[in-house]
Amino acid sequence: MAMKVRKAVFPAAGMGTRFLPATKATPKEMLSLVDKPLIQYGVEEAVAAGCTEIIIVTGRGKTTMEDHFDRSPELEASLEAKGKKALLEIARSVSKLAKITYTRQSEPLGLGHAVLQAKELVGNEPFAVILADDIVDSKQGCMKQMIEAFNDAQASILGSEVVVGDAISAYGCLDCTPDARDPRLLAVRDMVEKPKPGTQPSQNAIIGRYVLTPRIFEMLETITPGAGGELQLTDGIKALLAHEKVFGFTYEGTRHDAGDKLGFLKATVEFALKRDDLGPPFREWLKAQPF
Ligand code: UTP
């Protein structure tokens, strides 16, 4: 019988070097886009996709994330006493989002190694992986689209987008052919992590969204360090290809690389402009600037 995707894994133990010094003591997943940490956007996307269990793989800064998703009795008591009902609701709703468990990656040995740390908590069922610094702005959540595609294909699904030129060298890259049944699906033949410019098999990049079958854990246990000397999730999925079908999936939406300073700035402006409360005055202010 087809299994439902109930669990979402959030690898959040990387060093976030592209965002130093902000990420020296704070995980980049806790950087705030307008007024919400990146990881909360991701958790909300997973919950909207039907996931009920969230597994966060942490390294440093564990307490900030745990505190964020936990109740905050002092804050709540203070807001209640002051009659600040709307703010109280915001503070409380974060802790009610989902069941969240934490597991630790003792050393940042790579994304594949981070996902492997969730093996026991995931068990023998398909699961989602969300890299919280990839923010996808879409009508229907990116993960919801991907889980629907997983339910149809019953095979691992990798979020994918076309990246122009040599920028592909910063991504996992798919060697793939379009699927005859669904134009959004790309049948994966092979894949390569961070191809050298000019050697990429296509311009189809893997983004920070995956729905994976549990067999990936077996594969991740056998891989050796790859690109950048890290244990790469891409190499685990490549090994999975010898046993199962894997598809790339062209999602509807706009992705922002919020783990990068420029990407983060662009996402901040776009998200702020879309807000009912902040958008109009922010737009006015932007228009009035001499730049
Ligand atoms: P990135 O390569 O984007 O994150 O990894 P990073 O290494 O933290 O960032 P930079 O490049 O140094 O700025 C993608 C995701 O995988 C997680 C990161 O937290 C991020 O969400 N990750 C990466 C781990 O959890 N463990 C690792 O060993 C590596």
Side-chain angles (χ1 to χ4, degrees):
M1 205 182 84
M3 286 186 90
K4 277 187 76 175
V5 178
R6 303 181 303 133
K7 300 180 180 178
V9 175
F10 286 75
M15 288 194 282
T17 53
R18 285 171 297 153
F19 227 117
L20 281 167
T23 45
K24 190 158 177 278
T26 305
K28 76 173 160 191
E29 291 75 12
M30 284 302 291
L31 295 174
S32 191
L33 203 58
V34 186
D35 55 6
K36 208 192 282 185
L38 295 176
I39 194 157
Q40 190 179 331
Y41 287 94
V43 169
E44 288 174 355
E45 183 183 322
V47 170
C51 297
T52 48
E53 289 186 41
I54 304 296
I55 298 159
I56 302 183
V57 183
T58 59
R60 315 137 296 117
K62 180 183 164 90
T63 49
T64 4
M65 279 186 272
E66 279 198 10
D67 287 347
H68 181 73
F69 289 111
D70 201 355
R71 289 199 62 177
S72 179
E74 297 89 350
L75 174 66
E76 288 176 24
S78 159
L79 292 171
E80 197 151 28
K82 290 177 186 152
K84 296 189 170 173
K85 286 204 177 114
L87 292 176
L88 179 63
E89 191 37 45
I90 290 174
R92 277 199 180 138
S93 63
V94 181
S95 59
K96 290 183 191 155
L97 274 173
K99 178 182 171 228
I100 303 187
T101 45
Y102 299 85
T103 185
R104 204 160 166 106
Q105 185 189 22
S106 49
E107 263 185 281
L109 297 179
L111 178 57
H113 182 257
V115 171
L116 184 56
Q117 306 314 301
K119 182 184 172 191
E120 266 73 43
L121 290 168
V122 170
N124 191 27
E125 56 182 281
F127 63 104
V129 176
I130 293 185
L131 307 188
D133 55 344
D134 260 351
I135 290 278
V136 183
D137 189 14
S138 54
K139 275 199 217 96
Q140 192 185 39
C142 180
M143 189 44 76
K144 190 168 194 321
Q145 300 172 43
M146 289 180 57
I147 289 180
E148 283 174 8
F150 172 86
N151 290 340
D152 287 344
Q154 288 297 309
S156 294
I157 302 282
L158 320 176
S160 175
E161 74 173 37
V162 172
V163 168
V164 181
D166 288 348
I168 191 78
S169 299
Y171 294 87
C173 177
L174 299 176
D175 179 358
C176 56
T177 46
D179 184 76
R181 292 160 306 163
D182 183 343
R184 297 170 306 167
L185 287 182
L186 303 161
V188 179
R189 266 191 304 253
D190 197 4
M191 48 207 294
V192 49
E193 182 63 32
K194 300 190 174 58
K196 290 204 173 70
T199 68
Q200 66 268 32
S202 76
Q203 296 300 127
N204 295 105
I206 308 169
I207 65 138
R209 298 289 183 280
Y210 310 77
V211 182
L212 299 170
T213 60
R215 196 164 197 175
I216 189 67
F217 293 121
E218 249 177 73
M219 306 298 121
L220 291 174
E221 272 162 351
T222 62
I223 57 168
T224 51
E230 295 191 357
L231 293 165
Q232 297 286 357
L233 181 57
T234 308
D235 291 336
I237 301 171
K238 198 176 145 113
L240 190 62
L241 275 171
H243 306 274
E244 297 179 2
K245 281 188 177 162
V246 175
F247 292 96
F249 177 76
T250 310
Y251 58 93
E252 174 279 313
T254 306
R255 181 184 63 94
H256 297 281
D257 179 3
D260 167 80
K261 289 173 189 175
L262 186 59
F264 184 87
L265 282 172
K266 290 178 185 170
T268 301
V269 172
E270 284 208 13
F271 275 60
L273 286 173
K274 281 188 175 190
R275 285 267 295 249
D276 289 340
D277 54 348
L278 298 168
F282 186 42
R283 192 178 299 274
E284 280 308 303
W285 179 82
L286 281 172
K287 275 191 195 151
Q289 298 312 303
F291 45 76

